[in-house]
Structure formats: structure tokens, C-alpha cells
């Protein structure tokens, strides 16, 4: 968690906009679709080339069913079309119209990219997390391990692994009887967590500033600016933007005690993944404001003004507290949603 003072060390950090991060969260069929789409968009698969289901399956080391799904999705998006006889032809690139296809289709040469199966815990994590975030707005909730295992078709060991990961970010805890509990998130609780953040994060930023490379700051600012371009755009990921500023950048702070204390506030990051959830959403204009605040902080750091950047971060967190309050106000007008069988209201 110490300082990365130069570009060589900074490059050891995994890029936050690495597409493989997003791909790892997808189903096999969605990853196959994304890989083929990127090959078309980048010109590696060109108009007139022929794609066969069996060859896609072989190149990506997957079964024919997800390969078939990926090809049909591309066909629906008019990036490929069914070929005479069998298979599909590449016909166009998104945003550039349809390219003419002449003569007999050529067999496409696919990159060999092995798509690994999604681990069991990953398949269920997102759904369970979203359900908990929604229900926690209304009440304390108990998670029943055996029912979770039955619902998702996984072992109790997998369930415990998922709950341990959620415990590490403060989403769940254990009561005196050893039951997993997701505590009711109230306006007072979130306000107290934000108070902790706006007292500690600006100081963490001030201490981190001398150890953060200019190249990292430029990349992080570019990610935030890219998110603002045509916002909200397909593939926008609040996790990446939040993590860049509030986790990766602050991890350069040499004061481990400040970072340890801030670890308790990570639970506030989780609902930002669900901007369009009927309970957890907040107005998109407020998300745009938050992105602009991120850009301002990076700009001040790039201008070597850490004290001003710390003050800007303080104000950003005060505004974030208000944005969370609007989430509660929105939820107050919604009837609590029915709980799945693996959750029990306390």
C-alpha cells in the first residue's frame, strides 16, 4: 500500500480500463460476443469474411451453444448476416455503415483466445450483492446460507466464500449467533461514514500526492473524461472511476492507519454499480457532476497543487453525501420489494 514514485513502478498497477476486467465479469456467451465484436470493430474481421459456429467454438475453447448465441447477437446488431448455406458473413462496422460484400466469402482467421469458465462464486456474487443492497435500504436482513446454496445451485463452501468477500468490504457481518447479517443502511449511517471519509481522505490524498506518478494521474483523468463523453454510454463502469480515485490513488498514502480506517467505508461504493436499479438509482445529472469533480481533482494534482486537490476532494465527498440522501428520498416512495427465499427480514 506504499508509494509508487515513478512510471516503471506505476506500470505494475493493472490498468483500470483494461477490457479484460469487464470481460471477467461476463458470462461465457457474452465474452464470446464481446471478443468477436471487438475483432470486427478493429478490422481484424473484415467485410466478406465468413464465420462458422464450430470454428468460433474451437478458437475460444468453448462449446457451440455460447458460440451460437454470440453469432446470433452480432447478426441482430447487423454486424454479420447469415451466409448462403451455413455460417455468417461479416458485413459492417458499427458507426461506419455496411461495407459492400463482393465475390465468394473468405474464411475468417480467428485469434485463439481461451475463454475460461466463470467461477461459481462470480456467477452468483453480483445478483446476491444487488439484492442485498436493495433490501438493506428498508430493513436489517439475514442471509440463510443453505437457502443461498440451494437457490444458486452451489455448495455451502462457495456461499461462505462469497459472504467472506462481502464481509471484507463491510457489506455483511456476523451476529452473536454466527448468522450472516446485512444491516439496514440508514441516512444517519451513511452520513457518519461520509463524515469519516471527508475527514480522512483529503489528508490521505495530500500524503499520497508526492508518490503518485504523472502518468497514472493522466490515465485516471482520461478515464473520467472518457466516461463523460456521451454520458451515459454503453459500458460505463462506476467501479473503475471510483476505484481509480478513492482506492488506487489513495493507496499511495504512507499512513497505513488512515487507509485501514477508510476500509470501513468501502460499503458506500457498492450501490454505485446499480445506477439504473429502481431503488438504488440517483439522477444521472448528479453522476455527471461527480465525474467532473473527479476530473477537477486530477487536474489540480497534475498542476502540482495537492492542497487545493485535497480541498476539492473534501467538497466532492460532501456532495456525495447529499447524493446518497437523494437515493434514500427516492427509495422512500417505493414499496419494499419482495425478498427472495434466501433472505429473511429481521
Amino acid at each position: 500500500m506504499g508509494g509508487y514514485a515513478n512510471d516503471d513502478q506505476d506500470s505494475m498497477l493493472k490498468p483500470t480500463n483494461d477490457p479484460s476486467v469487464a470481460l471477467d465479469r461476463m458470462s461465457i456467451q457474452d465474452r464470446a460476443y464481446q471478443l468477436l465484436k471487438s475483432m470486427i470493430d478493429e478490422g481484424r474481421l473484415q467485410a466478406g469474411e465468413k464465420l462458422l459456429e464450430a470454428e468460433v467454438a474451437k478458437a475460444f475453447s468453448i462449446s457451440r451453444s455460447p458460440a451460437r448465441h454470440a453469432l446470433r447477437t452480432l447478426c441482430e446488431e447487423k454486424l454479420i448476416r447469415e451466409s448462403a448455406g451455413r455460417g455468417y458473413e461479416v458485413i459492417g462496422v458499427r458507426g461506419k455503415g455496411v461495407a459492400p460484400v463482393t465475390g465468394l466469402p473468405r474464411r475468417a482467421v480467428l485469434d485463439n483466445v481461451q475463454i475460461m469458465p466463470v467461477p461459481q462464486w462470480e456467477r452468483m456474487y453480483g445478483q446476491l450483492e444487488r439484492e442485498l443492497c436493495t433490501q438493506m435500504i428498508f430493513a436489517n436482513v439475514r442471509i440463510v446460507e443453505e437457502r443461498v446454496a440451494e437457490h444458486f445451485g452451489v455448495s455451502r463452501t462457495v456461499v461462505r466464500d462469497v459472504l467472506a468477500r462481502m464481509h471484507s468490504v463491510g457489506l455483511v457481518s456476523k451476529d452473536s449467533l454466527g448468522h450472516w447479517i446485512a444491516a439496514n443502511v440508514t441516512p444517519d449511517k451513511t452520513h457518519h461514514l461520509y463524515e469519516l471519509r471527508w475527514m480522512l481522505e483529503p489528508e490521505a490524498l495530500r500524503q499520497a500526492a508526492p508518490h503518485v506518478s504523472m502518468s497514472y494521474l493522466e490515465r485516471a483523468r482520461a478515464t473520467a473524461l472518457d466516461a463523460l463523453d456521451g454520458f451515459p454510454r454503453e459500458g460505463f463502469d462506476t467501479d473503475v472511476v471510483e476505484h481509480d480515485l478513492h482506492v488506487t490513488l489513495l493507496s499511495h498514502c504512507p499512513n497505513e492507519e488512515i487507509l485501514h480506517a477508510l476500509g470501513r467505508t468501502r460499503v458506500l461504493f457498492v450501490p454505485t454499480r446499480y445506477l439504473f436499479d429502481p431503488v438504488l438509482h440517483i439522477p444521472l445529472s448528479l453522476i455527471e457532476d461527480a465525474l467532473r469533480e473527479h476530473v477537477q481533482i486530477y487536474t489540480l494534482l497534475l498542476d502540482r497543487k495537492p492542497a487545493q486537490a485535497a480541498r476539492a476532494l473534501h467538497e466532492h465527498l460532501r456532495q456525495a453525501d447529499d447524493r446518497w440522501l437523494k437515493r434514500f428520498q427516492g427509495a422512500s416512495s417505493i414499496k419494499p420489494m419482495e425478498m427472495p427465499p434466501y433472505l429473511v427480514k429481521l
Side-chain angles (χ1 to χ4, degrees):
M1 300 284 278
Y4 294 92
N6 58 56
D7 289 0
D8 290 338
Q9 289 174 303
D10 189 57
S11 67
M12 295 167 63
L13 296 170
K14 187 171 185 178
T16 53
N17 58 353
D18 184 345
S20 65
V21 175
L23 285 174
D24 285 345
R25 300 174 187 165
M26 298 179 181
S27 66
I28 291 176
Q29 60 193 32
D30 287 341
R31 282 185 282 175
Y33 157 77
Q34 285 291 350
L35 284 168
L36 289 169
K37 178 181 174 295
S38 68
M39 290 178 188
I40 294 172
D41 287 345
E42 294 167 12
R44 288 181 284 158
L45 291 176
Q46 298 183 355
E49 293 188 328
K50 189 169 185 175
L51 290 166
L52 297 176
E53 182 183 298
E55 292 183 353
V56 170
K58 181 180 179 180
F60 296 164
S61 299
I62 59 178
S63 68
R64 294 183 66 153
S65 179
R68 185 181 310 123
H69 179 277
L71 290 166
R72 286 177 177 171
T73 304
L74 290 167
C75 196
E76 290 169 2
E77 295 189 357
K78 297 184 173 23
L79 292 176
I80 64 176
R81 67 182 173 197
E82 290 190 53
S83 177
R86 64 194 182 103
Y88 298 84
E89 290 178 46
V90 178
I91 60 173
V93 177
R94 184 186 299 274
K96 297 182 180 179
V98 176
V101 178
T102 59
L104 294 175
R106 304 178 303 279
R107 186 70 58 85
V109 178
L110 292 169
D111 298 336
N112 289 317
V113 181
Q114 187 173 12
I115 297 178
M116 300 301 293
V118 179
Q120 284 183 308
W121 72 265
E122 245 183 282
R123 287 195 291 108
M124 61 176 286
Y125 192 102
Q127 185 176 338
L128 179 58
E129 179 187 72
R130 183 170 187 162
E131 195 65 59
L132 286 173
C133 288
T134 300
Q135 299 295 345
M136 290 163 65
I137 295 289
F138 303 104
N140 292 309
V141 177
R142 178 188 165 198
I143 304 101
V144 185
E145 276 188 24
E146 58 270 24
R147 294 184 189 172
V148 175
E150 181 181 356
H151 181 84
F152 290 100
V154 298
S155 68
R156 292 278 292 276
T157 301
V158 171
V159 174
R160 293 189 185 112
D161 182 29
V162 166
L163 292 171
R165 291 170 188 269
M166 292 182 172
H167 181 261
S168 71
V169 295
L171 187 60
V172 301
S173 60
K174 278 194 171 183
D175 65 11
S176 58
L177 298 175
H179 297 145
W180 287 106
I181 304 297
N184 182 208
V185 178
T186 64
D188 281 347
K189 180 177 180 178
T190 59
H191 177 65
H192 292 157
L193 288 172
Y194 268 111
E195 278 189 320
L196 184 62
R197 289 183 68 184
W198 73 54
M199 286 190 290
L200 295 181
E201 282 197 28
E203 177 58 21
L205 180 71
R206 189 188 65 76
Q207 292 190 27
H211 307 288
V212 183
S213 72
M214 292 294 106
S215 64
Y216 176 78
L217 294 172
E218 288 167 354
R219 288 201 304 271
R221 182 172 66 173
T223 298
L225 286 168
D226 186 59
L228 278 165
D229 182 17
F231 180 85
R233 64 181 356 182
E234 181 183 354
F236 169 65
D237 191 341
T238 56
D239 266 1
V240 169
V241 178
E242 289 291 288
H243 197 276
D244 280 356
L245 176 61
H246 300 291
V247 180
T248 304
L249 194 156
L250 295 187
S251 73
H252 295 75
C253 170
N255 189 323
E256 296 285 342
E257 297 306 317
I258 290 179
L259 298 177
H260 180 73
L262 286 172
R264 295 182 52 230
T265 70
R266 294 281 182 85
V267 67
L268 294 171
F269 297 170
V270 178
T272 60
R273 298 173 192 154
Y274 307 111
L275 293 180
F276 302 101
D277 184 273
V279 174
L280 301 171
H281 77 283
I282 56 177
L284 288 177
S285 61
L286 298 182
I287 302 299
E288 285 190 272
D289 291 343
L291 289 170
R292 292 190 182 93
E293 291 159 16
H294 280 225
V295 172
Q296 179 193 19
I297 292 165
Y298 291 130
T299 300
L300 288 168
L301 288 171
L302 285 165
D303 290 342
R304 303 187 186 280
K305 298 177 180 177
Q308 290 178 242
R311 288 195 292 272
L313 177 58
H314 180 273
E315 182 58 27
H316 168 67
L317 293 168
R318 296 294 294 259
Q319 294 298 326
D321 188 18
D322 289 339
R323 287 189 275 267
W324 250 97
L325 183 58
K326 288 180 171 59
R327 178 174 275 134
F328 284 113
Q329 291 169 342
S332 66
S333 61
I334 298 174
K335 181 180 178 181
M337 304 178 74
E338 183 178 352
M339 286 195 180
Y342 51 81
L343 298 181
V344 177
K345 181 179 178 180
L346 298 178

